[in-house]
Amino acid sequence: MPIFINESLRQFHLQTKESSYIFCVLKNGQLGHLYYGKKVNHRENFSHLFQLPNEPIGNATFLYKGDQTFSLEVIKQEYPAYGTTDFREPAFHIWHENGSRITRFVFQSYKVIKGKPRLEGLPATYVDNENDVTTLMITLYDEISRVELQLQYSVFEHESVITRSARLTNDGHHPIVIERILSAVVDYPDAQFEMIHLDGAWIRERHITSRVLKKGVQFIDSKRGTSSSQHNPFFALKRIDATEHIGDVYGFSLVYSGNFIAGVEVDHYDVARAFIGINPFDFRWILHSKESFQTPEVVMVYSSAGLNGMSQTYHRLYASHLVRGPWRHRPRPVLINNWEATYFQFHEEKLLAIAESAKELGVELFVLDDGWFEGRNDDTTSLGDWVVDRNKIPSGLSELVKRINEKGLQFGIWIEPEMISEKSRLYERHPDWVLKAPNCSTISHGRNQYILDLTRQDVRDYLYHTISHLLEHANIAYVKWDMNRNMTEIGSSLLEASKQGEVAHRYILGLYELLERLTNTFPHVLFESCASGGNRFDPGMLYYMPQSWASDNTDAFERVKIQYGTTLVYPISSIGAHVSAVPNHQTGRVTPLKTRWHVAMFGAFGYELDPAALSEQEKQQVKKQISFFKKYRTLLQYGTFYRLMSPFEGTDAAWMVVSEDKREAIVAFYRFVAKPNPSFMRLHLKGLHPSLKYEVMIDDQTKVLYGDELMHIGLFLPPFYMGTVKTKETVMMGDYVSCLAVLKAIE
Ligand code: DGJ
């Protein structure tokens, strides 16, 4: 049993394979935090972990008369309040009918449940077998305001994962106003950490940022309505001396796709308080009598094997316990997408020609991107109508799909359901369906488009029926669900004034409801989420759509950084990655076809170019790439992934995947800037079996080496055959070069 309870002392110990998380009920009835870190044995008394100063504390405030030590300011807590002696970042802030902002949640009861209850209306991790997780529900209650707080802790004991969320219920007669309600707060005894997060912008998403914690509040957030490419809803606290592969790391990943906040406060005693949840900025939720509010889930991972250990846990957990449906664990088809090949300018014949030659190259799925619906010749028009453009596709959509199917390819389609163009029939009929604050006569556009008000049931019904119609009338196997702008002037014409502060969150709930309906109705369809590339690459979307387009940037060099950062949390199978043409459309950079392939193959792999523009030699190369990929795709997409060299720390990068039985592995090394007269380098591989003998194949050169040699002595780079092979490609000359080593155990 992963949950131990010292009943009389009211202490709770959540124990996983590697970690212990211990908390208690304090004497004022609130929950106090005692420990989170490497696993310790359970004992019948953890009271010694609770510390108060021996001396009265100067300039503090106290809960008990005559006691100048019991101040919440110095006590580590589970779900801290503001206004009752703690001045740090609180977990919640509630306004009561009488103007009070004081809520005293006092422990009432607990229960332990096998399995994990679903979070109403929200995506969350799940299990097929309820023995895989145990949940502790703690109920706290404020007698005066009659508000109940339920804290849910689910323990994945075999994974060193604890998920947390909170649920507030108004048990009184008057409405309350929630201004802040986070998913979790964790108090650490010190602040000797680096905070690692994923930041960026359009076409440079999820770059790794690392900062040593400093006094004060440091946080990342999104106010954009999407989780955003500026900051991913994730951060890790890494011990200063921890590395990629060694040392203590704590990950916090929020299963949410909207405005979030995630940060750490280091206080005047140099202790750290980590917090994460819905962004309190521009959030105001009225909770009427008997209503409940459920926060999103945060997935907390403890790793003693550095950042990579944390990432592997997230990869396993998200691939098995977040992604759902028939595509879970299933290798993804090799696709060709026409966007960078044609943009809006295409005709049915061109699409068929692309499909035809793609099929010859080995592609399995043809994806028709933006521009297929009436009037959509640029990005100023037609979003919302979703009727095929007969000028471009004279035979109609279902006929086109049929023809592509006849060529032996599956068919996929791009849609951007959450959007509406001013120039559309939908806008003419329903201008009130636009997301818009009540006092706005004009609203800002993004890519010439507005956002549909997904808080409205009628809008969601329209979208459900329109998309269902599309999927029912043509044999569509894949949907790329795009979302190309951030929210501005947020408001809804259906909600009363006092509820306008709920719109951003209600939008996300509406989106989740729509996705739940659609994915239940069309479980066989592979959905790929996209938001101007990676503007909404988060665990919330992954629950509905097993893969996400990582970035509109398809440049191999940029992609190594983007994909490297993305792997901090997200599994390879979820990272949409394509080989595109050169010069690259986002950077103008020219990289070898081989390098582009070596990068994109570590993902949900495909091509985004016009095969007609490839030379005969390139076509042969692509054919070989695809057949290699098909041979190894389970290993590439579902193997254990190791980051070996960071592109953020130099001009080389490397990573590898290893099969579960350790008998196969693929290593990729990328060199962005040529080094004249380079020194020999050794790439220390990971995750191999030390005493297995591996055949190491780089291009057509092989060597036999033991696992322990490869891990401890290293694989010599540039490739060990340097100087013996004549071609420019294989000796790795020039910029943006790469090599791939395929390892197979031979005994
Ligand atoms: C943005 C996406 O990220 C691109 O891949 C492409 O689908 C365009 N939208 C189409 O408008």
Side-chain angles (χ1 to χ4, degrees), residues 339 369-370 414 447 480 482 484 530 532-533 549 552:
W339 179 242
D369 210 281
D370 197 354
W414 176 96
R447 210 193 186 203
K480 179 176 174 188
D482 207 347
N484 282 304
C530 173
S532 290
W549 181 226
D552 277 351

Side-chain angles (χ1 to χ4, degrees), residues 181-183 220-228 231-233 254-262 276-284 293 296 435 486-488 490 500-509 512 535-536 538:
I181 177 151
L182 299 184
S183 298
I220 49 164
D221 77 343
S222 169
K223 304 182 186 75
R224 295 167 180 268
T226 58
S227 50
S228 91
H231 306 288
N232 199 257
L254 190 68
V255 187
Y256 190 59
S257 311
N259 293 340
F260 75 93
I261 189 165
I276 189 162
I278 292 177
N279 199 338
F281 178 82
D282 201 39
F283 171 85
R284 189 173 181 274
F293 184 90
L435 197 75
N486 294 312
M487 294 179 191
T488 55
I490 298 172
Q500 293 295 322
E502 301 176 10
V503 173
H505 181 56
R506 281 186 183 275
Y507 180 96
I508 299 295
L509 294 178
Y512 289 155
N535 199 41
R536 203 167 55 185
D538 59 61

